[in-house]
Amino acid sequence: MLFSKFFQVLCAFPRPIQRSDWLKRILSTVLVVGLTLGSILPAQAEVAPASPAAKILTSATTGAPHNFISDVVQKVGDTVVRIDTERTVVRPASDPFFDDPFLRDFFGPEGYPRSPREDRLRGQGSGFIIESSGIILTNAHVVSKADTVSVTLKDGRIFEGDVRGVDEVSDLAVVKLKGVKDPLPVAPLGNSDQSQVGDWAIAVGNPVGLDNTVTLGIISTLHRTSAEVGIPGKRLDFIQTDAAINPGNSGGPLLSDAGEVIGINTAIRADAMGIGFAIPINKAKSLKDQLVRGEKIAYPYVGVQMTTLTPEQAQENNKDPNSPFILPEIDGALVMKVFPDTPAAKAGIRWGDVIVSVDGQSIKSANDMQSFVENTKVGQNLQLILKRGERTQQIAVQTAALENAA
């Protein structure tokens, strides 16, 4: 249609005008424009951004990594190991036949002599290499009390492991591989203090015996206390993630999108789906050298069980005529229990006391008190200000070393 219009216009010119000259000029112009557009349009198509699907298809044909996840796995995957453990448990022999009361009377008060039974318990977890000589970082509950430890690398090599140090309070342990001749790949350790809620989180491990499994999620929250997680007796502020952490993942690394270890996968909530927890790597970095040397980690404590008190909670308590005591309507750490033969018991702290200050620092919650004690030294004297009913008390307490901390 365009060329028919063109010829109609051309024919409308008077005869004297040389139509051949007009035709040559116009056709040359069209030719130049066409060549120019032909050189520009393909270049624009080449620089246009490709869709994610196109990128995946292109990388699949060229063999390039598909995305940052595969890059991270390529970078760190060889450092992740499977840990198999065995331990012997001696149990008293039990036989319903000989436990019958009639037979007990027949055989006398000692009963029928029976030998104790030995059971072999097997466990499995994950870990990752932090030194090329074969130093492995993992969870304490993976290797604690194990008689034998076997470590399998991603390439299939199997080494006997020597448990160098175990710390139950932080749930951290170090294993040294025996017979390592060549340097092993090492996982790069990041800075968990720089992690933020919403950052990518990649969990690598061996869940339920399935080696080299990778799951992806985000950091759901930070500084989740062990009390909130439901793990009493620990002194940790966990990283919470929705990256799948299953039995067998324990001890494996939680990675950032840069391929650095930001946490150690350690726990799952049986009553929740898609919620897992990891120990911040900075906590592990502060303890690993002591664990490599086999040293016991000393934790200061005072010996009280606490909960956070708010003015609203105190008001509700004080309205109850059956309440055992009247609470001050303030923020603080309410003492729920004082353990016997502890620094708190010796100092005279009582059930129902509300701790409001330690060494001049205000205490607004049980977490404040716990954090303050954790940052002290064993044997350090603390000056506590507490409310006991309507009275204010000042009590000095000296921290002691927490027993069974290793």
Side-chain angles (χ1 to χ4, degrees):
M1 173 174 279
L2 178 62
F3 282 98
S4 65
K5 294 277 187 184
F6 164 71
F7 280 111
Q8 289 175 9
V9 173
L10 184 63
C11 293
F13 283 104
R15 288 287 178 177
I17 300 176
Q18 297 296 324
R19 285 180 290 182
S20 59
D21 294 338
W22 280 96
L23 179 62
K24 289 179 182 178
R25 294 175 184 178
I26 294 174
L27 287 178
S28 63
T29 303
V30 171
L31 180 62
V32 171
V33 172
L35 290 174
T36 305
L37 290 174
S39 64
I40 293 176
L41 291 178
Q44 290 177 337
E46 288 177 5
V47 300
S51 66
K55 290 181 180 179
I56 292 175
L57 291 174
T58 302
S59 63
T61 57
T62 60
H66 292 188
N67 48 46
F68 75 92
I69 306 169
S70 57
D71 290 340
V72 168
V73 175
Q74 290 293 327
K75 180 179 179 180
V76 185
D78 289 341
T79 71
V80 182
V81 302
R82 190 185 77 212
I83 300 176
D84 295 281
T85 63
E86 282 192 4
R87 67 188 180 104
T88 302
V89 177
V90 179
R91 308 180 190 275
S94 177
D95 191 324
F97 178 77
F98 291 108
D99 287 339
D100 185 273
F102 172 77
L103 292 177
R104 279 206 305 268
D105 293 339
F106 179 80
F107 287 110
E110 298 297 327
Y112 186 81
R114 288 171 285 175
S115 301
R117 186 183 68 195
E118 289 188 355
D119 291 336
R120 298 288 293 175
L121 299 182
R122 292 179 174 85
Q124 191 174 87
S126 304
F128 54 96
I129 305 169
I130 59 173
E131 292 185 17
S132 60
S133 60
I135 298 295
I136 305 287
L137 194 59
T138 186
N139 285 146
H141 72 263
V142 171
V143 297
S144 180
K145 301 178 182 178
D147 297 325
T148 62
V149 176
S150 176
V151 180
T152 304
L153 274 57
K154 186 179 179 181
D155 60 15
R157 285 182 292 170
I158 300 176
F159 293 88
E160 181 182 355
D162 175 33
V163 180
R164 286 290 184 87
V166 174
D167 181 45
E168 301 286 356
V169 175
S170 65
D171 196 21
L172 293 171
V174 164
V175 177
K176 175 69 169 67
L177 302 186
K178 297 181 179 180
V180 175
K181 297 180 180 179
D182 300 320
L184 298 176
V186 175
L189 305 184
N191 183 355
S192 53
D193 289 344
Q194 295 179 350
S195 298
Q196 297 183 16
V197 174
D199 285 351
W200 289 110
I202 305 169
V204 185
N206 308 285
V208 294
L210 302 175
D211 292 356
N212 309 121
T213 298
V214 179
T215 57
L216 175 67
I218 63 169
I219 294 177
S220 304
T221 193
L222 298 166
H223 308 298
R224 184 71 76 189
T225 66
S226 55
E228 292 174 317
V229 174
I231 308 177
K234 306 297 180 186
R235 291 193 177 181
L236 292 167
D237 288 334
F238 291 99
I239 298 172
Q240 181 179 321
T241 177
D242 64 352
I245 298 176
N246 299 298
N249 268 119
S250 292
L254 187 70
L255 305 168
S256 68
D257 57 359
E260 295 180 332
V261 181
I262 56 173
I264 304 172
N265 304 322
T266 186
I268 54 176
R269 281 288 291 267
D271 58 345
M273 295 294 291
I275 298 179
F277 302 94
I279 302 168
I281 194 61
N282 284 11
K283 179 69 173 181
K285 288 195 291 187
S286 69
L287 301 178
K288 65 180 180 64
D289 292 338
Q290 289 177 266
L291 294 176
V292 169
R293 295 191 296 266
E295 297 176 1
K296 181 177 178 179
I297 308 299
Y299 290 95
Y301 87 116
V302 296
V304 296
Q305 189 177 72
M306 303 170 293
T307 189
T308 297
L309 178 69
T310 65
E312 294 76 17
Q313 292 170 332
Q315 290 172 7
E316 289 295 323
N317 173 84
N318 297 339
K319 291 177 183 178
D320 185 357
N322 297 318
S323 175
F325 41 68
I326 300 298
L327 293 175
E329 297 178 2
I330 56 174
D331 293 307
L334 174 62
V335 177
M336 301 297 293
K337 182 177 181 180
V338 179
F339 294 96
D341 300 322
T342 63
K346 296 174 183 177
I349 298 176
R350 301 177 186 175
W351 172 50
D353 288 347
V354 180
I355 302 172
V356 296
S357 172
V358 181
D359 286 354
Q361 179 174 317
S362 178
I363 300 297
K364 299 292 186 181
S365 66
N367 287 338
D368 288 348
M369 181 64 183
Q370 182 68 43
S371 297
F372 191 95
V373 174
E374 288 178 6
N375 292 320
T376 62
K377 297 179 180 179
V378 174
Q380 182 172 334
N381 289 312
L382 304 179
Q383 297 295 325
L384 275 61
I385 302 295
L386 52 85
K387 295 286 187 178
R388 181 174 295 167
E390 297 180 352
R391 295 179 297 170
T392 300
Q393 302 277 344
Q394 181 170 347
I395 292 180
V397 58
Q398 186 180 55
T399 62
L402 182 63
E403 297 297 327
N404 301 320

